Amino acid sequence: MLSLDHITMQFAGRTLFSDFSHVIGPTDRIGVVGANGSGKTTLLKIIAGTLEPEAGSVGKARYVTAGYLPQDTVVASGKTLYDEASTAFEDVLDVQSKLEETRQQLSVLDPTGPGHHEMLEIYGELQHKLEDLDAFRMKSKIERVLMGLGFSAGDFARGTEEFSGGWQMRIALAKLLLREPSVLLLDEPTNHLDLESLQWLENYLQGYNGAVMLVSHDRAFLDNLTHATLAISHGTIDLYQGNYAFYEREHRARREQTLNALKNRERKVRQTERFIERFRYKATKARQVQSRIKQLEKLEEIELPPEEEEIRFHFPQPPQSGAVVMELRNVHKQYGSLKVFSGLSVTIERGDHIAVVGNNGAGKSTFARILAGVESFERGERITGYHAMTAYFAQHQAEELDLTQDALQTLEEIAVAEMRPKLRTLLGAFLFHGDDVFKKVGVLSGGEKSRLALAKMLLQPANFLIMDEPTNHLDMKSKQVLQDALAEYEGTYVIVAHDRAFLDPIVTKVFEFSPGRVRIFPGSVTEYIEKKLGEQRGAAETEPVQSRDRRSAAISEKERKRMEAERRQELSVKTKPIREEIEKLEHDIHVMEAWKAEIETLMGDPGFYRNGDEAKKVAHEYQRLQPRLDQSYARWNALSEKIEHLKNST
């Protein structure tokens, strides 16, 4: 459908990728991964046609269209939200405009005149064209997409300029989804979505009638959506036929395989060189020596790709707080006539690891600011527990940095003695490499400032961390560093975020905010989602039959889609342990097949049998290996059939 033919691109004298070719099929779901600055956005722009490659070309059929969502969204203004979304249907609006002109002309023409009959035919043709364009579903499509992305019906008449940056991104995303291009190119589409909107987008893209290629640092989003991964690293792009989890396993396996091949090559070179050196001057061995020299010359070079440095960060040891870290009692908060909290009461205990989720506008960030003591409220109490020391991170924290200092000085200013030797390592974890640590804060981008502000907060010896969307500007490795550090952290924390893969291993409670209330769920985010789905299914099962019938008769397309999404989520939960076992089996099979191939290579060498004991040992291992492989294949088939059975029965 769309092909990349020998694409080459450089930036600032550095090769991003070279001679890359790939074909995007009509229903492909492709994730693009790599470190910040590796060329992910550049690749999407080349496919979208907004950037020309230095060499190579992009080929596509005439009917193929590509739609691109950039990270930095253009601000929409001058129209209502609904009218702005309607611009995605330019062809429909054009026909509707012509239809209205024709209707007006018909109203003034003489019904008995020849022009009236001709105009009536044009009117009919335009109506047929509207039907072909599915124009009569335009309104329902716009409403479904806008509400799926978190807008309310009351927002439709608001001017687009009233919406903040995150909502502007949703407007751009809505217009792109409504255009339905053949290839969707999405650059970090989840950055400004809450958990519910993110799940809606995930389900929508799973059923999208076209190809999807996306850059994202949300592991769960990539794993649930993509079937292939393009990994950009050190000037090359490698294809992996699976999602992000598959890519991680396969990348390790490929590296291990390359390492083994490199070791085998080095061993063979040493053996050959010893033979040449030993018999170089023996006339009877001259032919053999020449043969070995030629063998050396023909040996293919094996290059081990450079591996990115493994970085770990540990929080300073926090002083212990009292049993209750923070308590809000009967807190009332409003902005003008908008009531955010009416009698909010929560208790945060020592050791709580809390995820705060909910729709945008439900009060999550306001809650975080009240906890941090930087937001006032009308009534109620904020009670700080014994010896509770708070550290707070929000996006605006970047605005409080000293613009005259460099990145390293910013951390040196507040670091305790034990952390000072680790500051450059910490900056590296948050994507400040080499001389980047000496950049003045004033020249840093918004994302760089946010990362620096987060690193600064993490250095404070606090026992209560409050973080509002800390992962928005982090790549996969940086998020892993932060996640590992939080997993070992002995204090208490509250995190406002929507990244399920980041939150799941580290939180023990979920606070769900909705207008007017907060609900507390023990467990991880996945367990919270399962609990919510169970509640929805339970409510549906206990509903009276007549009431269900009436509701079913009036069900909207949006609700039907939501129910289908819930069924898919239910299937995902049911099959998760089976899929995990399949993934482990696939890894084991890959390792065994690689070992089997290596043994067969050894056994094909006549010199291998000179050491009888070693040869017998390896041959015995080979005999034991095949039955294990057969058992693994059989188990893999059984598990695959089990998943198919569950799909058919759900």
Side-chain angles (χ1 to χ4, degrees):
M1 185 175 73
L2 188 150
S3 63
L4 302 175
D5 302 313
H6 305 287
I7 298 292
T8 295
M9 197 68 187
Q10 295 187 358
F11 179 75
R14 180 170 61 90
T15 299
L16 298 179
F17 35 85
S18 176
D19 199 32
F20 174 66
S21 297
H22 185 71
V23 175
I24 301 173
T27 58
D28 281 355
R29 300 289 186 269
I30 304 169
V32 183
V33 302
N36 280 23
S38 61
K40 304 185 296 295
T41 295
T42 300
L43 180 63
L44 292 194
K45 286 181 176 178
I46 288 172
I47 298 171
T50 62
L51 187 65
E52 285 291 322
E54 292 186 12
S57 61
V58 178
K60 62 181 180 180
R62 280 192 303 173
Y63 65 87
V64 172
T65 56
Y68 173 54
L69 179 77
Q71 284 191 51
D72 302 318
T73 305
V74 177
V75 176
S77 63
K79 290 185 175 71
T80 66
L81 171 63
Y82 185 90
D83 288 343
E84 184 67 31
S86 299
T87 61
F89 297 92
E90 290 172 348
D91 47 356
V92 173
L93 296 175
D94 182 52
V95 175
Q96 284 179 337
S97 175
K98 290 176 181 176
L99 195 67
E100 178 60 22
E101 288 176 14
T102 307
R103 189 190 65 76
Q104 290 177 4
Q105 290 181 42
L106 278 170
S107 67
V108 298
L109 284 173
D110 181 358
T112 61
H116 186 274
H117 179 71
E118 188 177 315
M119 193 61 65
L120 203 60
E121 286 187 350
I122 294 173
Y123 190 82
E125 288 175 6
L126 288 171
Q127 282 187 316
H128 284 305
K129 193 168 185 180
L130 273 184
E131 289 175 9
D132 292 340
L133 290 170
D134 205 15
F136 302 103
R137 293 185 61 224
M138 183 180 84
K139 183 174 183 294
S140 65
K141 282 182 177 179
I142 291 172
E143 291 176 353
R144 178 165 64 98
V145 170
L146 287 177
M147 295 182 78
L149 290 174
F151 294 99
S152 67
D155 291 328
F156 291 180
R158 291 175 58 192
T160 51
E161 59 274 5
E162 296 178 34
F163 294 95
S164 63
W167 290 100
Q168 290 283 350
M169 187 281 293
R170 296 190 194 205
I171 295 171
L173 177 57
K175 287 165 58 179
L176 188 58
L177 296 179
L178 289 167
R179 287 194 186 106
E180 297 184 348
S182 312
V183 183
L184 267 178
L185 304 164
L186 306 177
D187 198 349
E188 295 290 358
T190 67
N191 266 1
H192 300 283
L193 299 181
D194 54 48
L195 193 57
E196 187 172 337
S197 300
L198 191 152
Q199 287 182 285
W200 179 88
L201 178 62
E202 187 178 293
N203 292 327
Y204 183 92
L205 293 178
Q206 283 172 343
Y208 185 72
N209 186 27
V212 180
M213 181 179 254
L214 64 98
V215 173
S216 178
H217 292 144
D218 187 324
R219 298 170 63 104
F221 190 68
L222 286 171
D223 279 343
N224 294 338
L225 186 61
T226 60
H227 309 143
T229 302
L230 292 176
I232 307 179
S233 178
H234 300 100
T236 63
I237 304 180
D238 294 314
L239 174 65
Y240 294 81
Q241 295 291 357
N243 61 13
Y244 187 81
F246 175 87
Y247 151 71
E248 281 197 312
R249 293 193 308 274
E250 184 66 15
H251 175 69
R252 287 194 296 268
R254 287 187 190 183
R255 185 173 178 81
E256 186 177 341
Q257 196 172 18
T258 304
L259 187 59
N260 289 335
L262 183 61
K263 289 178 180 176
N264 288 337
R265 184 188 185 282
E266 289 173 348
R267 184 170 63 248
K268 191 168 185 178
V269 167
R270 287 195 301 271
Q271 291 172 347
T272 305
E273 286 177 342
R274 281 200 298 269
F275 181 90
I276 293 170
E277 190 63 32
R278 183 177 178 185
F279 298 110
R280 181 187 296 276
Y281 303 109
K282 287 197 175 183
T284 56
K285 298 285 187 179
R287 183 175 295 176
Q288 293 180 42
V289 167
Q290 288 304 312
S291 175
R292 298 295 174 93
I293 290 173
K294 288 178 181 178
Q295 284 179 14
L296 273 183
E297 292 171 350
K298 290 178 180 178
L299 274 180
E300 186 178 345
E301 289 291 335
I302 298 174
E303 186 175 342
L304 189 67
E307 188 76 332
E308 294 185 18
E309 182 185 359
E310 190 73 26
I311 297 173
R312 292 187 63 80
F313 166 74
H314 301 278
F315 285 97
Q317 184 67 26
Q320 191 175 50
S321 68
V324 174
V325 177
M326 182 81 63
E327 190 175 359
L328 301 182
R329 292 181 185 172
N330 198 33
V331 168
H332 291 252
K333 174 65 184 177
Q334 64 185 71
Y335 298 105
S337 61
L338 176 63
K339 289 185 178 180
V340 184
F341 302 132
S342 297
L344 173 67
S345 296
V346 296
T347 299
I348 297 171
E349 299 174 336
R350 183 177 63 226
D352 275 351
H353 297 162
I354 299 167
V356 178
V357 303
N359 295 336
N360 280 28
K364 304 187 299 294
S365 293
T366 303
F367 172 67
R369 290 195 296 271
I370 289 173
L371 286 180
V374 298
E375 181 81 43
S376 61
F377 44 91
E378 282 68 45
R379 296 202 313 275
E381 293 181 274
R382 172 185 177 270
I383 303 168
T384 303
Y386 172 74
H387 210 50
M389 301 171 63
T390 301
Y392 172 56
F393 170 79
Q395 297 301 321
H396 72 80
Q397 300 296 111
E399 299 169 9
E400 299 177 7
L401 297 173
D402 185 341
L403 302 182
T404 64
Q405 292 185 329
D406 61 38
L408 186 58
Q409 288 171 334
T410 301
L411 298 194
E412 287 175 337
E413 187 179 49
I414 53 107
V416 296
E418 65 179 279
M419 294 302 298
R420 284 181 173 275
K422 305 172 186 176
L423 293 184
R424 294 193 67 150
T425 299
L426 176 60
L427 285 167
F430 290 99
L431 311 179
F432 291 92
H433 303 294
D435 290 341
D436 290 346
V437 302
F438 302 117
K439 281 184 178 179
K440 295 294 183 184
V441 174
V443 303
L444 298 180
S445 67
E448 288 172 325
K449 287 176 183 174
S450 290
R451 294 198 299 271
L452 183 60
L454 178 59
K456 182 178 179 180
M457 187 213 77
L458 298 181
L459 284 172
Q460 299 175 33
N463 51 30
F464 181 32
L465 306 180
I466 303 163
M467 290 178 275
D468 191 355
E469 297 291 358
T471 64
N472 268 3
H473 297 284
L474 303 183
D475 67 1
M476 293 287 197
K477 286 190 175 295
S478 301
K479 282 200 281 192
Q480 187 66 54
V481 169
L482 179 57
Q483 187 186 65
D484 291 344
L486 287 169
E488 297 175 355
Y489 179 63
E490 296 179 6
T492 305
Y493 52 77
V494 171
I495 305 176
V496 179
H498 59 265
D499 190 323
R500 294 156 291 176
F502 175 77
L503 293 171
D504 242 6
I506 59 173
V507 302
T508 55
K509 285 183 184 177
V510 176
F511 283 12
E512 180 200 58
F513 280 75
S514 56
R517 68 171 183 168
V518 57
R519 295 179 65 194
I520 299 175
F521 295 81
S524 67
V525 173
T526 295
E527 289 168 333
Y528 151 73
I529 293 172
E530 291 170 1
K531 175 78 171 174
K532 291 279 289 182
L533 290 174
E535 288 178 354
Q536 292 164 6
R537 286 194 297 270
E541 289 167 3
T542 56
E543 189 177 9
V545 173
Q546 289 183 342
S547 174
R548 284 208 306 272
D549 289 344
R550 286 196 301 271
R551 189 168 66 87
S552 296
I555 195 166
S556 69
E557 183 181 322
K558 181 187 175 189
E559 289 166 335
R560 179 175 61 79
K561 288 285 188 181
R562 189 183 296 278
M563 290 166 67
E564 289 175 0
E566 288 173 5
R567 284 196 291 272
R568 284 195 294 270
Q569 182 67 29
E570 180 185 2
L571 177 64
S572 177
V573 170
K574 283 182 179 178
T575 59
K576 183 180 178 183
I578 305 173
R579 286 184 282 112
E580 287 175 348
E581 187 176 350
I582 285 177
E583 288 171 1
K584 185 178 184 305
L585 270 173
E586 287 173 345
H587 174 72
D588 293 343
I589 288 170
H590 179 87
V591 172
M592 285 190 282
E593 285 177 338
W595 177 221
K596 181 184 175 187
E598 188 173 344
I599 291 176
E600 287 171 347
T601 302
L602 287 171
M603 294 172 72
D605 183 0
F608 166 72
Y609 297 94
R610 289 175 188 156
N611 186 336
D613 290 338
E614 183 64 20
K616 187 183 294 184
K617 181 180 175 184
V618 173
H620 179 66
E621 177 66 23
Y622 185 76
Q623 290 172 350
R624 290 177 58 245
L625 195 56
Q626 190 58 52
R628 286 167 57 199
L629 261 174
D630 292 339
Q631 289 172 6
S632 296
Y633 291 140
R635 179 61 178 162
W636 186 91
N637 284 327
L639 291 172
S640 299
E641 289 173 3
K642 191 172 181 180
I643 284 183
E644 285 302 315
H645 175 73
L646 286 170
K647 284 180 180 177
N648 295 331
S649 62
T650 300

